[in-house]
Amino acid sequence: MDVRRRPVKNQSHQRPVKQPTAGELLKAYNQPKPSDALPLPLYLTNGLFFTIFFSVMYFLLHRWREKIRNSVPLHVLTFSELAAVASLIASVVYLVGFFGIEFVQSIFRPSPDSWEIEDDSLDQIMLAEDKPTKQCGELLIPRIVAATTEVAEMTKENNKEKIKPPPVTDHSSSWSVEDEEIVKLVVDGSLPSYSLESKLGDCKRAAKIRREALQRITGKSLSGLPLEGFDYESILGQCCEMPVGYVQIPVGIAGPLLLNGAEFSVPMATTEGCLVASTNRGCKAIYVSGGATCILMKDGMTRAPVVRFSSVKRAAELKQFLEDPMNFETLALVFNKSSRFGRLQSVKCAIAGKNLYIRFCCATGDAMGMNMVSKGVQNVLDFLHDDFPDMDVMGISGNYCSDKKPAAVNWIEGRGKSVVCEAVIKEEVVHKVLKTTVPALVELNMLKNLTGSAMAGALGGFNAHASNIVSAVYLATGQDPAQNVESSHCITMMEAVNDGKDLHISVSMPSIEVGTVGGGTQLASQSACLNLLGVKGASKDEPGSNARVLATIVAGSVLAGELSLMSAISAGQLVKSHMKYNRSTRDMSKLTSSN
Ligand code: ADP
């Protein structure tokens, strides 16, 4: 499940509010609460006071009625009535203290419990696409400016036993006394690590403090993990929680990839040696053969909730309703209302007993679209409740979507962009650039990518290494790397053409899930890679065209990667054959190297 939010727009986090010290923070945590009244668990204390309150109320009202009936003055109290009044006052004081005072206080002071807001369930977040995202530190407590001696004393005691051999970090001059105090609060558990961004109002400082606390708690050094040189504000509420640094992945360039008449330099983020070089060789073979052609067959993101009824009959009735072409317009109207770009394309249902899986498919513009489609689905589910009040929504995602898992439904129906890419590689290019022959490639493709994968029971894995290229391009361009699973579904076909001289190669990829807005695409490095490809952000001319071009680039790069690796493997076989049958004394192994 994809969990993404809108880009943070207003990065301002310096708020002119009173700034609490670390001591004030700690005091707020340690304040006595009404629930401390009895040494019992909270629910028992509350239960007890509620019971007392209602029983004495009942008792007193009962007595009051008796007195009125018997004309006894109300102010004359027996001992039991006095005890009841005392108990009533005690329970009222407790309950007001528990619910009233805390509530009233929370209105007037910046709540130290603000991070509870961050504990929204993930599925809430998933549907919160268009909600304004909380800014770093915007909610409440700004910078902690000074640590009091009192806190220093308190934390010293607390930390004595817990803190492991510290500073493995080489602190820069930016490390302050307050930072040190806050680290101690985090280490001893007084200040939750996840609340640092909202408490401090400075994401970089939050990451630095969290990182230091982590090193002290674990006793392990993070010195190889960089902290500096990254915009921590840009990931808040969108890309990564509780950051302590960032991982560096080198980016190589393959290309130019000549695709549909345009040239692209393809950024690939990888730590696998030879991958970029090999893809580059494939690009060269395609280029000198006149380029590749890529066709987009389909463009629609899917989400499939699971709903349950009390009978198969009712589930079937909903299926009929949803799949009836007469109802499509109404459903589309309801679905489309939450986004300018999400446009319902189709609804396909699968039934399992009383449970119905409804696969909604929609266009999502330049966004990869998971959030968008989820919001549209929610609109339809709310709408359906009027006519199907007995429908239980068991989950907004019922895995018939199917996201980030190998599934035949994506392989057959497609998900995201369904793309086919082809090229004709000239015989001499196969010889000179790829160092192999057309028949050897065709035969290897049949044995490896088709028969071998069939023998292995592959699902969408009829290729040599599509996922290598998909993952590297996804990482470089800020795609969701987990969607590499279905995005790498690919069948590679090879055939001898032009009287058996040249090679026709194609890759068919039915579920390439990419976007050029949202998620990781707006981060500086990823955005630079999208810019290099000319597909950064939302397309101004035609919404969705940037994402579609990106999908074709992914497929074109896979074509190059397939061509090169298959050639290397078949050339390896050629080398062996030559050695065996021609007794060559030349060092044929050089032929397998990329160039
Ligand atoms: P996803 O649906 O892929 O998870 P996000 O919700 O993160 O994507 O980002 C999509 C957001 O970008 C939406 O709020 C949408 O309104 C906005 N947006 C702006 N321009 C476009 C565009 N050309 N195509 C799609 N979405 C766009």
Side-chain angles (χ1 to χ4, degrees):
M1 183 170 72
D2 178 56
V3 182
R4 293 207 257 149
R5 287 181 178 178
R6 287 188 72 167
V8 174
K9 282 186 185 126
N10 179 8
Q11 296 296 347
S12 154
H13 50 77
Q14 301 289 340
R15 309 273 296 204
V17 241
K18 183 180 173 292
Q19 302 184 342
T21 63
E24 284 167 353
L25 260 185
L26 190 65
K27 266 189 199 158
Y29 293 118
N30 294 337
Q31 265 175 4
K33 299 178 194 70
S35 53
D36 298 338
L38 294 176
L40 292 173
L42 182 62
Y43 73 97
L44 281 182
T45 315
N46 282 350
L48 188 67
F49 277 102
F50 265 118
T51 315
I52 293 173
F53 175 78
F54 286 113
S55 2
V56 294
M57 273 298 276
Y58 177 79
F59 174 74
L60 287 172
L61 287 173
H62 190 72
R63 296 290 305 146
W64 197 10
R65 198 179 62 177
E66 290 287 301
K67 283 183 181 179
I68 290 168
R69 273 194 195 152
N70 301 331
S71 307
V72 177
L74 291 180
H75 62 274
V76 178
L77 299 175
T78 63
F79 179 72
S80 59
E81 286 164 354
L82 268 175
V85 169
S87 307
L88 182 68
I89 293 169
S91 57
V92 166
V93 167
Y94 172 83
L95 293 172
V96 167
F98 188 82
F99 294 107
I101 294 173
E102 278 292 298
F103 172 68
V104 173
Q105 282 177 348
S106 70
I107 295 173
F108 293 108
R109 69 150 194 255
S111 164
D113 298 331
S114 62
W115 57 82
E116 279 169 15
I117 296 162
E118 292 167 29
D119 282 345
D120 292 349
S121 63
L122 288 181
D123 46 346
Q124 289 284 337
I125 293 170
M126 184 184 72
L127 296 171
E129 174 195 358
D130 280 331
K131 274 192 221 153
T133 310
K134 185 158 40 67
Q135 310 292 303
C136 182
E138 180 185 67
L139 270 183
L140 25 115
I141 305 180
R143 298 172 68 86
I144 296 174
V145 283
T148 60
T149 8
E150 176 196 1
V151 172
E153 285 305 314
M154 287 161 84
T155 49
K156 209 187 287 170
E157 279 307 303
N158 286 341
N159 293 340
K160 231 180 247 170
E161 287 172 17
K162 290 185 193 165
I163 299 177
K164 292 193 178 167
V168 258
T169 310
D170 176 19
H171 292 313
S172 66
S173 53
S174 64
W175 192 254
S176 67
V177 180
E178 299 96 75
D179 290 343
E180 183 59 32
E181 290 306 329
I182 300 164
V183 166
K184 286 178 182 168
L185 292 178
V186 175
V187 169
D188 73 14
S190 311
L191 186 61
S193 173
Y194 60 76
S195 70
L196 283 170
E197 276 77 3
S198 61
K199 299 290 164 197
L200 300 179
D202 179 340
C203 293
K204 163 105 184 282
R205 189 174 174 217
K208 186 176 74 169
I209 287 172
R210 176 179 298 114
R211 175 191 175 97
E212 181 57 30
L214 180 69
Q215 292 187 115
R216 293 188 193 183
I217 291 165
T218 61
K220 301 276 194 300
S221 166
L222 287 174
S223 62
L225 185 77
L227 173 74
E228 300 296 329
F230 189 80
D231 178 7
Y232 291 92
E233 311 286 338
S234 69
I235 57 169
L236 183 75
Q238 168 121 356
C239 294
C240 180
E241 299 77 36
M242 301 207 277
V244 291
Y246 59 97
V247 165
Q248 296 166 303
I249 307 177
V251 175
I253 291 293
L257 170 70
L258 183 54
L259 186 68
N260 292 342
E263 289 183 19
F264 300 97
S265 295
V266 184
M268 299 175 73
T270 182
T271 52
E272 185 179 337
C274 287
L275 180 61
V276 181
S278 175
T279 313
N280 193 49
R281 179 172 78 148
C283 289
K284 181 179 174 187
I286 293 169
Y287 195 98
V288 293
S289 298
T293 306
C294 199
I295 312 282
L296 187 119
M297 314 295 290
K298 215 167 156 187
D299 180 8
M301 182 43 71
T302 63
R303 178 55 96 200
V306 50
V307 299
R308 171 176 285 179
F309 288 89
S310 56
S311 69
V312 167
K313 182 170 172 287
R314 286 293 286 158
E317 278 168 12
L318 178 58
K319 180 175 177 347
Q320 274 159 12
F321 175 85
L322 290 169
E323 291 182 344
D324 185 343
M326 302 284 285
N327 296 326
F328 182 79
E329 214 168 299
T330 312
L331 292 173
L333 213 63
V334 175
F335 185 100
N336 298 346
K337 73 180 180 196
S338 52
S339 170
R340 282 176 297 152
F341 304 97
R343 291 289 169 265
L344 186 66
Q345 294 173 336
S346 64
V347 185
K348 180 186 166 71
C349 299
I351 199 162
K354 301 180 286 143
N355 308 302
L356 190 66
Y357 297 82
I358 315 164
R359 195 171 191 259
F360 293 87
C361 182
C362 84
T364 57
D366 286 308
M368 180 273 290
M370 286 302 323
N371 285 329
M372 212 178 271
V373 66
S374 298
K375 287 184 77 176
V377 167
Q378 191 60 50
N379 296 340
V380 175
L381 290 176
D382 295 343
F383 166 78
L384 288 175
H385 256 294
D386 290 344
D387 287 332
F388 294 87
D390 51 338
M391 175 182 83
D392 262 347
V393 178
M394 306 306 289
I396 183 122
S397 167
N399 273 9
Y400 186 54
C401 319
S402 176
D403 195 35
K404 302 173 184 174
K405 291 159 285 275
V409 73
N410 294 336
W411 175 235
I412 296 165
E413 296 283 329
R415 187 168 199 255
K417 276 80 174 150
S418 304
V419 176
V420 187
C421 189
E422 68 176 347
V424 175
I425 311 298
K426 297 201 177 89
E427 184 183 28
E428 58 168 335
V429 177
V430 173
H431 289 160
K432 287 194 181 142
V433 178
L434 301 172
K435 319 286 187 203
T436 186
T437 64
V438 172
L441 274 174
V442 171
E443 186 177 29
L444 179 67
N445 191 65
M446 188 271 290
L447 283 173
K448 174 182 163 67
N449 289 343
L450 306 182
T451 316
S453 293
M455 294 304 289
L459 174 55
F462 301 92
N463 58 78
H465 70 150
S467 74
N468 255 337
I469 290 92
V470 170
S471 304
V473 177
Y474 272 31
L475 287 174
T477 58
Q479 309 306 312
D480 187 336
Q483 289 184 322
N484 155 66
V485 175
E486 58 270 36
S487 295
S488 299
H489 282 347
C490 168
I491 183 164
T492 301
M493 304 290 290
M494 291 190 193
E495 205 182 310
V497 292
N498 302 335
D499 297 328
K501 284 201 310 212
D502 302 335
L503 175 78
H504 181 276
I505 175 172
S506 68
V507 291
S508 304
M509 303 180 69
S511 17
I512 298 182
E513 295 154 347
V514 288
T516 58
V517 294
T521 62
Q522 99 291 348
L523 300 180
S525 344
Q526 290 84 338
S527 173
C529 290
L530 287 170
N531 192 39
L532 177 72
L533 293 169
V535 294
K536 179 180 159 185
S539 163
K540 289 188 183 67
D541 309 329
E542 189 194 343
S545 62
N546 275 354
R548 287 194 285 272
V549 170
L550 181 58
T552 62
I553 294 170
V554 171
S557 308
V558 168
L559 188 84
E562 289 292 278
L563 200 51
S564 186
L565 178 61
M566 290 296 284
S567 301
I569 297 172
S570 85
Q573 185 54 44
L574 280 184
V575 173
K576 280 200 193 122
S577 304
H578 279 291
M579 295 300 281
K580 188 169 177 186
Y581 300 111
N582 299 344
R583 295 168 186 251
S584 168
T585 50
R586 266 176 58 207
D587 182 6
M588 300 292 284
S589 64
K590 284 204 179 107
L591 295 177
T592 63
S593 67
S594 308
N595 55 23

